[in-house]
Amino acid sequence: MFSRFSDAFCRKLRQAYRLRDDPIIHCDLIVALGYGLLKNGNLPDATVRAFWRASALAAAHPRATVVLVNQNYLGDGTRETERMRKLELVRRSPFSERIVVARTPCVNSIGEAWAVLAETISRGLDKRDVVVVCDEAHMRSVKLIWSRVFRQSRIMLSSIEAWWEKEHILPFCRSPWRWFFSNIVRHAFLRVLGLSLMMRLHQPVGRS
């Protein structure tokens, strides 16, 4: 009972902290953010939900391209596992021909934005209007990061509400409270230190 109350209270705080979803009339690029892997090699709930939201947006915007990014901080062999799991999702989407997986992996959320930018440049993709799909707690940091990396683009956010699993590889993704407070701390550091310094930090991995 306490657990249900705690999760509900955390949800209220996330909703107070989050930004509003942007109205999306037109978009050229849709990015589904990644949330690592579970210990058993499966994709976490947040990654799957972000992907299907991006796929739904692709249905509404037939000229848009969807981009995914793999992580590069989860330990030996995990990048290929994550890539294979995401390709399985891509094959299930009716818009698979418009979904690309960035060739450059990332070490954190900032690197994820730079990886997508590099992919758009190498493929000549239109990026005037960009929609980033992310969870509620992540919205403030995502808006700050992507607005600074994609300086010539209009950045719009589309949010998901995800479930945080105890079996996640990353310790701060194992509960809603850990994820919520880690996002508050990260956002504060982003504002104080800036993207260049924060880019050097890798995600802490814990398998215990």
Side-chain angles (χ1 to χ4, degrees), residues 74-123:
L74 299 175
D76 294 340
T78 55
R79 193 197 330 177
E80 180 61 18
T81 300
E82 183 184 14
R83 187 181 76 86
M84 295 302 296
R85 294 290 182 269
K86 286 185 175 177
L87 288 177
E88 290 171 6
L89 283 179
V90 171
R91 285 192 288 269
R92 291 165 54 193
S93 172
F95 312 102
S96 57
E97 75 282 355
R98 290 196 280 130
I99 303 174
V100 300
V101 179
R103 285 161 284 193
T104 304
C106 67
V107 296
N108 53 31
S109 296
I110 302 167
E112 196 165 16
W114 283 113
V116 173
L117 180 62
E119 198 69 21
T120 63
I121 293 172
S122 68
R123 292 177 179 266

Side-chain angles (χ1 to χ4, degrees), residues 168-187:
H168 202 288
I169 287 179
L170 301 178
F172 57 80
C173 289
R174 293 175 186 167
S175 80
W177 283 104
R178 289 187 188 186
W179 179 247
F180 178 52
F181 282 116
S182 68
N183 273 274
I184 293 175
V185 171
R186 171 174 48 197
H187 188 66

Side-chain angles (χ1 to χ4, degrees), residues 1-11 163 177:
M1 186 175 196
F2 175 77
S3 178
R4 288 199 299 270
F5 172 79
S6 175
D7 289 348
F9 184 53
C10 185
R11 183 172 183 268
W163 175 256
W177 283 104

Side-chain angles (χ1 to χ4, degrees), residues 6-23:
S6 175
D7 289 348
F9 184 53
C10 185
R11 183 172 183 268
K12 290 287 187 184
L13 291 178
R14 287 200 313 271
Q15 290 177 338
Y17 178 74
R18 59 163 291 163
L19 300 178
R20 291 183 179 180
D21 281 30
D22 294 298

Side-chain angles (χ1 to χ4, degrees), residues 11-56:
R11 183 172 183 268
K12 290 287 187 184
L13 291 178
R14 287 200 313 271
Q15 290 177 338
Y17 178 74
R18 59 163 291 163
L19 300 178
R20 291 183 179 180
D21 281 30
D22 294 298
I24 303 169
I25 299 173
H26 171 267
C27 65
D28 305 298
L29 196 71
I30 304 165
V31 182
L33 293 192
Y35 292 86
L37 282 174
L38 303 182
K39 294 177 184 178
N40 62 9
N42 289 332
L43 294 171
D45 177 69
T47 295
V48 176
R49 289 181 185 236
F51 175 84
W52 288 116
R53 172 64 59 80
S55 189

